[in-house]
Amino acid sequence: MRVLLVEDDRLLGDAVHEHIADEGHAIDWVEGIADAEAAIHSTPYDLVLLDLMLPDGPGLGLLRRLRSGGDVTPVIILTARDQISDRIAGLNSGADDYLVKPFNLSELSARLAAVSRRYAGNPNPLVTLGDIEFDLAGRCVYRSGRPVEVTAREWALLEGLLQHPGTLLSKTQLEERLYPFGAEVESNTIEVHISRLRKKLGHDRIETVRGMGYRLKR
């Protein structure tokens, strides 16, 4: 998925950015509200990780503006504020989850995946398509009961297709899920990943509609 991290703590930001990127997601990182608003208005994000105490204003203000403007992008708050009243304020302002610093990066990944599944309309972490089973929580794939090894990039691509089974996703949409701003992307990168996934899952599992994109067959 494509994630926006809004965090001014360089040490924490580096750790979160590296962790999310290592899982195969595209992640953009900004340190203030103004840059966050600019990024959100120009890029369709799948999820926002939002700190509350930012140098140019409170994160809750940004969250409230997003919700009042009709933006339904999932938002997970990351903050050192651990009072019950702070959590209530965050959730009542439109946050989907609330994680108190310091936190375990594996827990962040689990919460990110759970929120993403809810927004995709399928909170069940197990998805079955024919003889293929996808464990969205465990980030595992099984074919006829046997584990299939996939890379982080391949998993991120699969996750995008799984969120919209039967729906065409363009090459550009898939690239945006895998690579952040400024990343150099070779012209055939998506085709290479699709080819490798077909070898692992079956050549008829992912359909190509020439000039339009790719989709998972139901």
Side-chain angles (χ1 to χ4, degrees):
M1 67 182 68
R2 182 133 196 181
V3 178
L4 176 65
L5 171 63
V6 189
E7 173 61 65
D8 66 321
D9 184 315
R10 298 292 303 181
L11 188 61
L12 177 61
D14 276 331
V16 172
H17 183 275
E18 181 178 359
H19 179 74
I20 298 299
D22 284 346
E23 291 197 330
H25 303 297
I27 178 167
D28 299 317
W29 176 16
V30 297
E31 299 183 15
I33 289 176
D35 288 340
E37 289 182 321
I40 290 169
H41 291 154
S42 64
T43 305
Y45 287 100
D46 298 299
L47 189 137
V48 176
L49 300 174
L50 177 64
D51 184 21
L52 290 185
M53 296 178 286
L54 296 163
D56 55 349
L60 278 186
L62 170 60
L63 176 57
R64 288 169 181 152
R65 287 194 294 277
L66 290 176
R67 295 305 187 234
S68 65
D71 192 317
V72 297
T73 304
V75 174
I76 297 178
I77 288 175
L78 310 178
T79 182
R81 295 181 177 177
D82 60 355
Q83 298 297 312
I84 294 298
S85 59
D86 292 321
R87 300 186 190 203
I88 292 173
L91 295 171
N92 284 344
S93 295
D96 297 274
D97 205 346
Y98 194 106
L99 196 54
V100 176
K101 304 173 184 177
F103 51 80
N104 184 282
L105 291 173
S106 295
E107 181 181 2
L108 172 61
S109 293
R111 289 174 181 263
L112 189 150
V115 169
S116 177
R117 290 197 303 272
R118 289 201 300 271
Y119 268 77
N122 181 23
N124 185 355
L126 297 178
V127 177
T128 301
L129 296 175
D131 64 339
I132 310 293
E133 182 178 79
F134 304 91
D135 181 350
L136 301 179
R139 298 169 62 87
C140 301
V141 182
Y142 300 89
R143 183 179 184 185
S144 300
R146 297 180 179 179
V148 177
E149 291 187 9
V150 294
T151 67
R153 294 287 190 203
E154 290 168 353
W155 175 262
L157 195 154
L158 270 177
E159 195 173 43
L161 294 172
L162 282 166
Q163 288 179 353
H164 310 280
T167 301
L168 279 171
L169 294 182
S170 69
K171 179 179 177 179
T172 299
Q173 287 175 304
L174 293 174
E175 286 176 343
E176 288 178 347
R177 296 182 63 89
L178 269 63
Y179 299 99
F181 283 127
E184 293 186 6
V185 184
E186 294 186 9
S187 60
N188 67 337
T189 296
I190 296 299
E191 288 86 345
V192 170
H193 288 312
I194 292 291
S195 176
R196 290 173 178 169
L197 284 171
R198 282 176 172 148
K199 291 178 181 178
K200 297 175 180 181
L201 304 180
H203 289 278
D204 61 344
R205 187 63 61 190
I206 301 175
E207 181 182 5
T208 300
V209 178
R210 189 173 298 277
M212 298 182 67
Y214 305 90
R215 63 186 168 200
L216 272 180
K217 290 188 177 180
R218 291 183 178 275

